[in-house]
Amino acid sequence: ILRAENLMKSYSGRRVVKNVSLDVNQGEIVGLLGPNGAGKTTAISILCSQIKASSGDVSIKGKNLWHEHEDLKKEIGVVPQDIVIFSDNAMENIRFGKMDATDEEVLSAARLAIADEFISKLPDGYQSFLGDRGIRLSGGQKQRIAIARVLLKNPALLLLDEATSALDAESELLVQRALGAAMDSRTTLVIAHRLSTVKQADKILVLENGKIIETGTHADLIQRSGLYSRLAKLQFTDQ
């Protein structure tokens, strides 16, 4: 469903993505993992068409992302690390995922994303204004609004960019449950720097200095003496 070939991206003469190629098949969960500065955010920005690669191609369902940009945007749903919350009520903030959605569709998406749990307790429920940039919401609540938007949009491909990286344990548990609903029967690319986020993926790509240096399942990669294995020892020992 998603194919990237020989992606390159440079900023100010410095190459941050170097010959990245990947295939994500229908229904797969693929993890893209690497330390800070590995090029993960740049790669996902290219794949969701926020920025264009210096060279290389991206196709979704066999269609070139650059040539059919607007048609393909509806096939992609993104849950980013930094959520944009509009100075509007909860209903309209979720409806941003699909502008012609009915109120019942919005409510259904909110329930699946476990966002109804906190929205219904707001003073005016779904008509409550969320404040400038969502100042009235916690990080986990903002993430669940973003997941509700994605569920409402119902895209073929889901891109998760460090979606739980800044959350406390309780919020992460709720967001992980909401993400489970969003990922159910959906093709998903998960970007992370924590192994626990991608451990269950069908395939994991390890990125370092802008290049994919290892590919395999968690079980495969843990047996090797590469970067993934070293990160696993560090992270799981810490925990």
Side-chain angles (χ1 to χ4, degrees), residues 38-228:
K40 303 185 301 296
T41 298
T42 302
I44 193 101
S45 297
I46 293 169
L47 295 173
C48 68
S49 78
Q50 288 178 345
I51 61 173
K52 195 167 182 180
S54 304
S55 62
D57 282 308
V58 179
S59 59
I60 295 173
K61 292 184 174 180
K63 298 178 180 178
N64 188 285
L65 184 61
W66 314 129
H67 298 157
E68 300 179 66
H69 173 79
E70 289 305 319
D71 286 344
L72 291 179
K73 274 177 73 175
K74 66 178 182 291
E75 302 282 2
I76 307 169
V78 184
V79 180
Q81 190 172 356
D82 297 314
I83 310 300
V84 175
I85 300 292
F86 304 105
S87 187
D88 206 332
N89 64 37
M91 180 77 78
E92 296 310 314
N93 260 285
I94 294 173
R95 206 191 313 268
F96 183 73
K98 181 187 171 192
M99 299 306 289
D100 60 350
T102 65
D103 287 359
E104 189 48 51
E105 285 175 322
V106 172
L107 292 171
S108 177
R111 291 186 199 109
L112 272 174
I114 321 177
D116 180 73
E117 172 259 355
F118 70 87
I119 294 172
S120 59
K121 294 175 185 172
L122 294 172
D124 296 310
Y126 282 81
Q127 299 306 312
S128 299
F129 278 71
L130 302 182
D132 190 36
R133 298 180 61 82
I135 197 167
R136 299 174 66 182
L137 302 181
S138 70
Q141 289 169 341
K142 290 178 187 178
Q143 291 287 18
R144 282 179 278 161
I145 292 279
I147 294 165
R149 286 175 184 164
V150 161
L151 286 164
L152 191 62
K153 185 177 183 181
N154 194 26
L157 177 66
L158 181 60
L159 304 181
L160 307 178
D161 184 9
E162 303 274 17
T164 62
S165 64
L167 304 181
D168 60 63
E170 186 179 358
S171 296
E172 181 173 4
L173 190 61
L174 285 167
V175 170
Q176 289 287 14
R177 281 173 54 201
L179 286 173
M183 292 164 67
D184 187 35
S185 305
R186 203 185 307 276
T187 308
T188 308
L189 181 62
V190 183
I191 286 74
H193 70 263
R194 291 195 295 201
L195 273 67
S196 57
T197 312
V198 296
K199 209 175 158 187
Q200 305 304 322
D202 298 303
K203 180 170 62 184
I204 300 167
L205 313 175
V206 183
L207 199 68
E208 185 177 39
N209 296 323
K211 293 189 291 190
I212 293 174
I213 58 167
E214 294 179 281
T215 305
T217 64
H218 171 77
D220 294 335
L221 294 169
I222 209 81
Q223 298 300 322
R224 302 179 199 169
S225 55
L227 176 61
Y228 189 91

